[in-house]
Amino acid sequence: GSSAIEQDAYLRAADCYFMNKDFKQALKMYELVINNQFVSADYALYQKGIIAGALNKNVEKISLLQSLERQYPSSALVADAYLEMANTYLADENYQAAIAPLQKVINNARAAALAPQSYLKLGVVYFNLDRSDESLESFKKLVTGYPNTEESSDAIEYIRNIFIEKQKPDEFAAFMKQNGKSITYSEEDSLSFRSPMLRYEAKDWTGAR
Protein backbone atom coordinates (compact mmCIF):
# COMPACT_ATOMS: atom_id res chain seq x y z
CA GLY A 1 0.00 0.00 0.00
CA SER A 2 2.97 2.35 -0.17
CA SER A 3 2.93 5.28 -2.57
CA ALA A 4 4.78 5.31 -5.89
CA ILE A 5 7.40 7.69 -4.50
CA GLU A 6 7.98 5.44 -1.48
CA GLN A 7 8.40 2.43 -3.75
CA ASP A 8 10.86 4.39 -5.88
CA ALA A 9 12.82 5.46 -2.80
CA TYR A 10 12.95 1.85 -1.59
CA LEU A 11 14.32 0.70 -4.94
CA ARG A 12 16.93 3.47 -4.96
CA ALA A 13 17.99 2.42 -1.47
CA ALA A 14 18.43 -1.13 -2.80
CA ASP A 15 20.61 0.29 -5.58
CA CYS A 16 22.75 2.05 -2.95
CA TYR A 17 23.38 -1.26 -1.18
CA PHE A 18 24.15 -2.81 -4.58
CA MET A 19 26.68 -0.10 -5.44
CA ASN A 20 28.31 -0.57 -2.02
CA LYS A 21 28.52 -4.31 -2.82
CA ASP A 22 26.30 -5.23 0.10
CA PHE A 23 24.67 -7.82 -2.16
CA LYS A 24 22.91 -9.65 0.66
CA GLN A 25 20.90 -6.59 1.68
CA ALA A 26 20.35 -5.46 -1.92
CA LEU A 27 19.09 -8.91 -2.89
CA LYS A 28 16.66 -8.97 0.02
CA MET A 29 15.21 -5.62 -1.06
CA TYR A 30 15.04 -6.49 -4.77
CA GLU A 31 13.18 -9.69 -3.90
CA LEU A 32 10.63 -7.68 -1.92
CA VAL A 33 10.09 -5.46 -4.97
CA ILE A 34 9.57 -8.54 -7.14
CA ASN A 35 7.28 -10.34 -4.69
CA ASN A 36 5.08 -7.28 -4.26
CA GLN A 37 5.05 -6.55 -8.00
CA PHE A 38 6.14 -2.94 -7.70
CA VAL A 39 6.25 -0.94 -10.94
CA SER A 40 9.98 -1.61 -11.31
CA ALA A 41 9.81 -5.35 -10.58
CA ASP A 42 11.41 -6.09 -13.97
CA TYR A 43 14.41 -3.93 -13.03
CA ALA A 44 14.69 -5.69 -9.65
CA LEU A 45 14.71 -9.06 -11.43
CA TYR A 46 17.45 -7.82 -13.78
CA GLN A 47 19.52 -6.64 -10.82
CA LYS A 48 18.99 -9.96 -9.10
CA GLY A 49 20.55 -11.62 -12.14
CA ILE A 50 23.51 -9.22 -12.05
CA ILE A 51 24.10 -10.02 -8.38
CA ALA A 52 24.10 -13.76 -9.16
CA GLY A 53 26.84 -13.09 -11.72
CA ALA A 54 28.82 -11.01 -9.23
CA LEU A 55 28.68 -13.98 -6.84
CA ASN A 56 30.02 -16.27 -9.62
CA LYS A 57 26.68 -18.06 -9.97
CA ASN A 58 26.53 -17.82 -13.75
CA VAL A 59 24.01 -20.64 -14.25
CA GLU A 60 21.61 -18.88 -11.89
CA LYS A 61 22.36 -15.54 -13.56
CA ILE A 62 21.47 -16.87 -17.01
CA SER A 63 18.28 -18.46 -15.67
CA LEU A 64 17.14 -15.22 -14.02
CA LEU A 65 17.87 -13.12 -17.09
CA GLN A 66 16.06 -15.60 -19.33
CA SER A 67 13.01 -15.38 -17.09
CA LEU A 68 12.78 -11.61 -17.51
CA GLU A 69 11.22 -11.77 -20.98
CA ARG A 70 8.80 -14.51 -19.88
CA GLN A 71 7.59 -12.55 -16.86
CA TYR A 72 7.79 -9.05 -18.34
CA PRO A 73 7.60 -9.39 -22.15
CA SER A 74 7.07 -5.64 -22.66
CA SER A 75 9.95 -4.59 -20.41
CA ALA A 76 12.49 -2.15 -21.83
CA LEU A 77 15.17 -4.27 -20.13
CA VAL A 78 14.64 -7.40 -22.24
CA ALA A 79 17.39 -6.46 -24.70
CA ASP A 80 19.75 -5.51 -21.85
CA ALA A 81 19.14 -8.92 -20.31
CA TYR A 82 20.04 -10.70 -23.55
CA LEU A 83 23.18 -8.58 -23.96
CA GLU A 84 24.21 -9.40 -20.41
CA MET A 85 23.64 -13.09 -21.15
CA ALA A 86 25.90 -12.80 -24.18
CA ASN A 87 28.57 -11.05 -22.09
CA THR A 88 28.45 -13.92 -19.61
CA TYR A 89 28.91 -16.51 -22.35
CA LEU A 90 31.75 -14.46 -23.87
CA ALA A 91 33.52 -14.27 -20.52
CA ASP A 92 33.31 -18.07 -20.31
CA GLU A 93 34.50 -18.35 -23.96
CA ASN A 94 31.27 -20.18 -24.76
CA TYR A 95 31.07 -18.43 -28.13
CA GLN A 96 28.42 -20.66 -29.68
CA ALA A 97 25.97 -19.94 -26.85
CA ALA A 98 26.51 -16.17 -27.22
CA ILE A 99 25.14 -16.08 -30.78
CA ALA A 100 21.42 -16.46 -29.99
CA PRO A 101 21.15 -13.70 -27.34
CA LEU A 102 23.17 -11.29 -29.50
CA GLN A 103 20.87 -11.89 -32.44
CA LYS A 104 17.90 -11.29 -30.14
CA VAL A 105 19.29 -7.85 -29.32
CA ILE A 106 20.01 -7.02 -32.97
CA ASN A 107 16.49 -8.05 -34.01
CA ASN A 108 14.87 -6.00 -31.23
CA ALA A 109 13.59 -2.78 -32.81
CA ARG A 110 13.49 -1.11 -29.38
CA ALA A 111 17.18 -1.77 -28.77
CA ALA A 112 18.77 0.34 -31.51
CA ALA A 113 21.20 1.89 -29.03
CA LEU A 114 22.61 -1.56 -28.25
CA ALA A 115 23.02 -2.57 -31.89
CA PRO A 116 26.64 -1.35 -32.42
CA GLN A 117 28.09 -3.30 -29.49
CA SER A 118 25.93 -6.31 -30.38
CA TYR A 119 27.22 -6.38 -33.97
CA LEU A 120 30.79 -6.00 -32.69
CA LYS A 121 30.43 -8.82 -30.18
CA LEU A 122 28.71 -11.05 -32.75
CA GLY A 123 31.55 -10.44 -35.19
CA VAL A 124 34.08 -11.34 -32.49
CA VAL A 125 32.11 -14.50 -31.67
CA TYR A 126 32.14 -15.69 -35.28
CA PHE A 127 35.82 -14.69 -35.58
CA ASN A 128 36.68 -16.92 -32.61
CA LEU A 129 34.64 -19.76 -34.10
CA ASP A 130 36.65 -19.46 -37.36
CA ARG A 131 33.48 -18.52 -39.24
CA SER A 132 35.16 -15.66 -41.08
CA ASP A 133 32.42 -15.00 -43.64
CA GLU A 134 29.77 -14.51 -40.94
CA SER A 135 32.21 -12.50 -38.87
CA LEU A 136 32.96 -10.20 -41.78
CA GLU A 137 29.26 -9.78 -42.53
CA SER A 138 28.57 -8.69 -38.95
CA PHE A 139 31.49 -6.24 -38.94
CA LYS A 140 30.40 -4.82 -42.30
CA LYS A 141 26.89 -4.16 -41.00
CA LEU A 142 28.44 -2.39 -38.03
CA VAL A 143 30.76 -0.17 -40.07
CA THR A 144 28.20 0.70 -42.76
CA GLY A 145 25.26 1.14 -40.38
CA TYR A 146 27.03 2.87 -37.49
CA PRO A 147 30.18 4.42 -39.02
CA ASN A 148 30.83 7.03 -36.31
CA THR A 149 30.66 4.76 -33.28
CA GLU A 150 33.58 3.56 -31.19
CA GLU A 151 32.54 -0.01 -31.96
CA SER A 152 32.92 0.68 -35.67
CA SER A 153 36.52 1.76 -35.12
CA ASP A 154 37.18 -1.33 -32.97
CA ALA A 155 35.95 -3.57 -35.79
CA ILE A 156 38.51 -2.33 -38.33
CA GLU A 157 41.37 -4.48 -37.04
CA TYR A 158 39.23 -7.61 -37.29
CA ILE A 159 38.10 -6.66 -40.80
CA ARG A 160 41.71 -6.06 -41.84
CA ASN A 161 42.80 -9.46 -40.51
CA ILE A 162 39.97 -11.27 -42.26
CA PHE A 163 40.65 -9.66 -45.64
CA ILE A 164 44.38 -10.36 -45.32
CA GLU A 165 43.75 -13.98 -44.35
CA LYS A 166 41.51 -14.29 -47.40
CA GLN A 167 44.35 -12.86 -49.56
CA LYS A 168 42.22 -9.83 -50.49
CA PRO A 169 44.10 -6.73 -49.30
CA ASP A 170 42.77 -4.71 -52.28
CA GLU A 171 39.19 -5.43 -51.22
CA PHE A 172 39.98 -4.22 -47.71
CA ALA A 173 41.34 -0.95 -49.09
CA ALA A 174 38.25 -0.56 -51.29
CA PHE A 175 35.95 -1.30 -48.36
CA MET A 176 37.65 1.31 -46.22
CA LYS A 177 37.40 3.98 -48.90
CA GLN A 178 33.75 3.18 -49.60
CA ASN A 179 32.93 3.73 -45.95
CA GLY A 180 34.89 6.93 -45.52
CA LYS A 181 37.71 5.37 -43.51
CA SER A 182 41.16 6.69 -44.29
CA ILE A 183 43.92 4.34 -45.43
CA THR A 184 47.35 5.52 -46.54
CA TYR A 185 49.29 4.36 -49.58
CA SER A 186 52.01 2.93 -47.32
CA GLU A 187 49.40 0.93 -45.39
CA GLU A 188 48.00 -0.48 -48.64
CA ASP A 189 51.51 -1.40 -49.70
CA SER A 190 52.21 -3.04 -46.34
CA LEU A 191 48.99 -5.07 -46.46
CA SER A 192 49.74 -6.24 -49.99
CA PHE A 193 53.04 -7.60 -48.72
CA ARG A 194 51.67 -9.02 -45.46
CA SER A 195 48.98 -11.08 -47.21
CA PRO A 196 51.32 -13.44 -49.14
CA MET A 197 53.74 -13.52 -46.20
CA LEU A 198 51.06 -15.23 -44.10
CA ARG A 199 50.96 -18.02 -46.70
CA TYR A 200 54.74 -18.13 -46.82
CA GLU A 201 55.03 -18.43 -43.03
CA ALA A 202 52.47 -21.24 -43.10
CA LYS A 203 54.61 -22.97 -45.79
CA ASP A 204 51.76 -22.75 -48.27
CA TRP A 205 54.17 -22.25 -51.15
CA THR A 206 51.53 -22.34 -53.89
CA GLY A 207 49.37 -19.79 -52.09
CA ALA A 208 52.35 -17.59 -51.38
CA ARG A 209 53.46 -17.65 -55.01
Side-chain angles (χ1 to χ4, degrees):
S2 58
S3 68
I5 194 168
E6 287 174 320
Q7 291 182 14
D8 182 61
Y10 188 81
L11 189 63
R12 290 172 187 266
D15 286 343
C16 290
Y17 285 113
F18 173 82
M19 293 302 294
N20 282 326
K21 297 187 177 179
D22 185 347
F23 297 136
K24 183 177 180 181
Q25 180 61 26
L27 191 59
K28 179 181 176 181
M29 296 176 76
Y30 287 136
E31 286 176 342
L32 187 145
V33 172
I34 296 167
N35 293 336
N36 286 279
Q37 287 299 294
F38 287 180
V39 174
S40 298
D42 59 334
Y43 170 77
L45 179 57
Y46 177 83
Q47 289 293 89
K48 189 177 176 181
I50 299 301
I51 289 175
L55 297 175
N56 295 316
K57 300 177 180 179
N58 283 348
V59 173
E60 181 182 345
K61 175 184 179 180
I62 294 295
S63 178
L64 287 167
L65 293 174
Q66 286 175 332
S67 71
L68 196 147
E69 185 176 28
R70 292 196 302 272
Q71 295 184 43
Y72 309 98
S74 61
S75 171
L77 290 169
V78 169
D80 295 86
Y82 278 116
L83 186 59
E84 190 59 39
M85 276 186 256
N87 289 338
T88 304
Y89 289 131
L90 282 167
D92 290 338
E93 296 186 3
N94 187 352
Y95 300 117
Q96 186 63 44
I99 295 174
L102 286 171
Q103 289 179 332
K104 285 266 191 180
V105 180
I106 290 170
N107 294 330
N108 190 329
R110 299 172 61 191
L114 300 178
Q117 57 179 304
S118 298
Y119 274 120
L120 177 64
K121 290 172 191 274
L122 187 59
V124 171
V125 163
Y126 284 133
F127 186 86
N128 281 285
L129 290 172
D130 292 324
R131 293 162 64 174
S132 59
D133 289 338
E134 290 157 294
S135 177
L136 186 58
E137 183 65 22
S138 184
F139 288 136
K140 281 183 175 181
K141 287 179 179 178
L142 169 59
V143 173
T144 57
Y146 308 90
N148 299 317
T149 61
E150 182 179 343
E151 290 84 359
S152 177
S153 298
D154 292 341
I156 297 302
E157 186 63 28
Y158 286 100
I159 295 172
R160 179 188 290 110
N161 289 336
I162 293 171
F163 272 118
I164 291 175
E165 185 63 34
K166 287 177 172 290
Q167 304 284 286
K168 296 178 178 179
D170 293 342
E171 289 188 21
F172 170 72
F175 173 79
M176 292 290 283
K177 291 172 183 176
Q178 287 168 5
N179 288 280
K181 304 287 186 180
S182 60
I183 179 169
T184 64
Y185 176 82
S186 60
E187 184 179 1
E188 283 192 65
D189 183 59
S190 176
L191 292 175
S192 296
F193 178 73
R194 181 61 184 155
S195 187
M197 281 301 295
L198 286 175
R199 298 298 182 191
Y200 179 82
E201 290 165 1
K203 297 185 178 180
D204 175 6
W205 313 127
T206 301
R209 184 180 298 110

